[in-house]
């Protein structure tokens, strides 16, 4: 974890960008907080040279905010330690134009370093970098891609501010609509999805397929595999923002909430990961060792799954998504070509053999999700962990260990986990648990409308 801050490779990138886009009037600086919420500031384009050089200052306490943006003093990042600044520098290859902006505007992603020039451990992107380094020491490089599910919400169909939202494509007569993979549902919003694809290409995002999902108004956008896990997570963060902004232009809201409707499918964020070995080949298909490597990686992921569920399901609402039969896993299971398990090995050519991790909700932080996955794989490979037998039937009926079903249970497993300590360090384990405990306390202190309608 000692990567020092050195001369920044983005200096030339800034120079090229400003020459290509001389009419840019401003820059939106973006940095992902612990919950995956984008924080930042607006600045003139002249500030880019500083962002790619000495860096721009932001409070370290940015990573000690709960999901509502409130300071959690138990993290030790706020006034009790002087509310100190860190140095944020430009993430290479993240400087892009904003196609949906009304005026010529750029966006740039940042990552945090301490004032002494070392990576700040509370920055989720730095935690992913640590995981990449750990895997490299074991002799492997990850290739990964995210799949993002979301609902399109029509705010015009919601009569009251406190009423349940309504998705597009609802309210039609007849039986409850499902229509999975329907081309007609994509056609109904062809202008919106065309704009998402066009804006994604303009921003250099490796967009792949767009599909209609399991419930009315639910869709999924997939990204292509890339051999750079940090860029993969950057892509997911930028894609979520793009989808939300384009939907807003069309008078809609795109929601990545894990379980916005109790009687409909939840929103997941699956991640596909393969490993490249020192010979440049798929580590899971290498003759003589591929199967053993796959088993060790799966074993590490299975062993670390329950303790790290809090990173995959970081919200109070997210645990409502983990229901039997929902295609969101409830047990630490794995199998080949099986969507009822937590870890699926999809059908593929040998060169594309990979693991699909299916636990995370769409509202999780992509950096932390991928960091937990890579750490699990590295842990299994380092220990030559054994995997349980693969499940070839209904994963919900298996006898494998159950995942935590509540936020409280997930916090307790997380904060005493030796796997989390080895993967993220004692300090980060304490910080993340403190944030989640503060959020859980807020939900416990809230009196719900159902309570009032029942007991008042």
């Amino acid at each position: 974890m000692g990567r020092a801050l050195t001369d920044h490779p983005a200096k030339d990138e800034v120079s090229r960008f400003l020459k290509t886009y001389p009419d840019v009037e401003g820059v939106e600086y973006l940095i992902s907080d612990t919950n995956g919420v984008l924080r930042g500031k607006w600045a003139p384009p002249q500030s880019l040279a500083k962002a790619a050089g000495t860096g721009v200052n932001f409070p370290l306490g940015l990573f000690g905010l709960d999901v509502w943006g409130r300071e959690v003093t138990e993290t030790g990042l706020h006034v009790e330690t002087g509310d100190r600044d860190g140095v944020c520098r430009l993430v290479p290859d993240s400087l892009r134009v904003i196609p949906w902006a009304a005026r010529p505007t750029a966006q740039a992603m940042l990552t945090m370093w301490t004032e002494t020039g070392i990576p700040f451990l509370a920055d989720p992107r730095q935690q992913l970098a640590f995981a990449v380094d750990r895997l490299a020491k074991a002799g492997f490089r990850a290739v990964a891609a995210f799949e993002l599910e979301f609902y399109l919400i029509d705010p015009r169909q919601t009569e009251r501010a406190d009423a349940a939202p309504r998705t597009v494509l609802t309210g039609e007569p007849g039986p409850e609509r499902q229509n999975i993979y329907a081309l007609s549902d994509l056609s109904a919003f062809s202008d919106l999805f065309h704009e998402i694809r066009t804006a994604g290409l303009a921003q250099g995002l490796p967009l792949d397929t767009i599909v209609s999902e399991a419930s009315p108004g639910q869709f999924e956008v997939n990204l292509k595999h890339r051999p750079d896990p940090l860029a993969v997570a950057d892509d997911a963060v930028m894609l979520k923002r793009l989808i939300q902004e384009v939907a807003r232009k069309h008078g809609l809201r795109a929601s990545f909430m894990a379980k916005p409707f109790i009687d409909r499918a939840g929103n997941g964020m699956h991640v596909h990961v393969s490993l490249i070995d020192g010979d440049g080949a798929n580590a899971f298909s290498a003759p003589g060792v591929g199967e053993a490597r796959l088993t060790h990686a799966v074993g590490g992921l299975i062993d670390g799954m329950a303790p790290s569920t809090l990173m995959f399901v970081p919200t109070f609402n997210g645990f409502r998504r983990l229901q039997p039969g929902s295609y969101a896993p409830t047990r630490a299971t794995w199998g080949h070509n099986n969507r009822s398990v937590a870890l699926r090995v999809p059908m593929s050519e040998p060169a594309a053999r990979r693991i699909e991790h299916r636990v995370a909700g769409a509202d999780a932080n992509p950096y932390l999700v991928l960091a937990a996955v890579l750490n699990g794989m590295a842990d299994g490979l380092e220990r030559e962990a054994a995997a349980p037998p693969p499940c070839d039937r209904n994963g919900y009926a298996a006898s494998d260990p159950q995942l935590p079903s509540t936020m409280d249970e997930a916090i307790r497993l997380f904060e005493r986990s030796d796997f989390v300590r080895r993967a993220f360090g004692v300090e980060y384990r304490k910080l993340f648990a403190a944030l989640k405990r503060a959020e859980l306390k807020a939900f416990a202190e809230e009196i719900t409308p159902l309570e009032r309608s029942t007991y008042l």
Side-chain angles (χ1 to χ4, degrees):
M1 296 189 180
R3 294 173 296 113
L5 187 153
T6 57
D7 193 47
H8 203 285
K11 287 184 178 181
D12 291 341
E13 179 184 342
V14 167
S15 178
R16 290 194 303 269
F17 182 88
L18 293 177
K19 287 180 181 178
T20 305
Y21 302 101
D23 59 340
V24 164
E25 299 177 7
V27 182
E28 296 182 6
Y29 288 113
L30 314 173
I31 186 166
S32 171
D33 75 3
T34 306
N35 279 295
V37 176
L38 287 176
R39 310 284 176 184
K41 63 176 73 173
W42 292 1
Q46 294 80 7
S47 65
L48 283 167
K50 183 179 180 183
T54 57
V56 295
N57 292 355
F58 265 100
L60 300 175
L62 182 150
F63 301 107
L65 304 176
D66 66 16
V67 72
W68 299 283
R70 304 178 304 189
E71 294 181 350
V72 176
T73 58
E74 290 82 359
T75 61
L77 294 178
H78 302 294
V79 68
E80 62 278 5
T81 51
D83 195 22
R84 304 176 71 86
D85 276 344
V87 178
C88 290
R89 304 185 84 193
L90 199 66
V91 170
D93 197 34
S94 72
L95 182 54
R96 317 283 172 88
V97 292
I98 301 180
W100 59 83
R103 306 181 70 83
T105 309
Q107 74 176 37
M109 300 189 69
L110 303 174
T111 190
M112 182 80 80
W113 305 71
T114 69
E115 58 189 316
T116 57
I118 61 173
F120 185 49
L121 65 85
D123 180 350
R125 195 177 191 277
Q126 297 287 14
Q127 284 290 340
L128 176 55
F130 300 151
V132 171
D133 290 347
R134 180 182 182 186
L135 206 54
K137 289 176 182 176
F140 300 101
R141 177 168 51 93
V143 178
F146 278 102
E147 301 174 345
L148 289 164
E149 294 175 340
F150 61 95
Y151 276 97
L152 285 178
I153 307 293
D154 190 347
R156 297 164 294 191
Q157 295 185 20
T158 303
E159 297 177 0
R160 303 190 323 272
D162 62 342
R166 296 185 65 181
T167 68
V168 298
L169 300 173
T170 56
E172 298 178 3
E176 176 63 24
R177 206 173 169 284
Q178 196 169 26
N179 215 17
I180 299 175
Y181 308 137
L183 292 174
S184 59
D185 288 1
L186 294 175
S187 297
F189 299 94
S190 59
D191 288 346
L192 182 147
F193 288 116
H194 176 73
E195 188 168 346
I196 286 174
R197 184 172 291 281
T198 301
L201 293 174
Q203 290 204 314
L205 297 178
L207 297 186
D208 195 8
T209 57
I210 302 175
V211 298
S212 171
E213 264 295 339
S215 291
Q218 187 186 37
F219 301 92
E220 179 181 270
V221 178
N222 298 330
L223 291 160
K224 295 177 182 177
H225 288 76
R226 295 184 66 179
D228 179 351
L230 290 162
V232 167
D234 293 337
D235 290 342
V237 170
M238 287 191 279
L239 178 61
K240 288 177 75 171
R241 183 174 194 245
L242 183 154
I243 291 171
Q244 289 168 330
E245 294 294 341
V246 172
R248 185 179 291 117
K249 276 189 63 178
H250 287 256
L252 302 173
R253 290 184 62 191
S255 176
F256 294 89
M257 182 177 177
K259 188 70 171 176
F261 308 100
I262 200 68
D263 58 342
R264 296 182 187 172
N267 288 322
M269 181 170 64
H270 301 166
V271 58
H272 292 247
V273 183
S274 57
L275 297 182
I276 303 299
D277 63 20
D279 296 324
N282 186 310
F284 298 147
S285 299
V289 294
E291 194 63 36
R293 287 170 171 173
L294 176 69
T295 302
H296 295 329
V298 166
L301 289 168
I302 292 288
D303 291 344
M305 189 175 295
S308 56
T309 294
L310 190 62
M311 287 183 159
F312 303 129
V313 188
T315 64
F316 184 82
N317 168 263
F319 289 89
R320 297 182 184 275
R321 174 177 156 268
L322 307 183
Q323 300 295 329
S326 66
Y327 293 101
T330 59
R331 293 180 179 273
T333 51
W334 78 287
H336 297 270
N337 193 22
N338 186 344
R339 284 188 171 86
S340 70
V341 296
L343 304 175
R344 181 174 76 113
V345 180
M347 287 196 305
S348 69
E349 296 297 320
R353 200 174 193 206
R354 63 194 185 274
I355 298 169
E356 179 191 16
H357 199 289
R358 300 172 55 83
V359 182
D363 53 1
N365 186 321
Y367 297 111
L368 295 179
V369 168
L370 194 47
V373 170
L374 297 189
N375 272 302
M377 296 172 82
D379 200 64
L381 289 162
E382 290 164 359
R383 297 186 294 109
E384 297 187 351
C391 176
D392 60 359
R393 307 287 291 181
N394 180 358
Y396 299 101
S399 59
D400 298 78
Q402 284 196 316
L403 300 180
S405 59
T406 67
M407 194 174 191
D408 181 57
E409 182 186 1
I411 293 171
R412 285 188 283 107
L413 285 174
F414 180 88
E415 63 187 355
R416 64 172 185 250
S417 165
D418 190 55
F419 166 78
V420 173
R421 179 192 61 77
R422 294 195 310 273
F424 295 93
V426 173
E427 291 182 42
Y428 197 78
R429 183 177 65 175
K430 179 180 178 182
L431 181 149
F432 195 78
L435 284 178
K436 296 298 118 179
R437 281 217 174 276
E439 292 174 14
L440 179 61
K441 183 173 182 287
F443 281 101
E445 293 173 346
E446 179 74 16
I447 297 176
T448 66
L450 180 60
E451 289 178 81
R452 290 195 177 95
S453 67
T454 302
Y455 302 119
L456 190 62

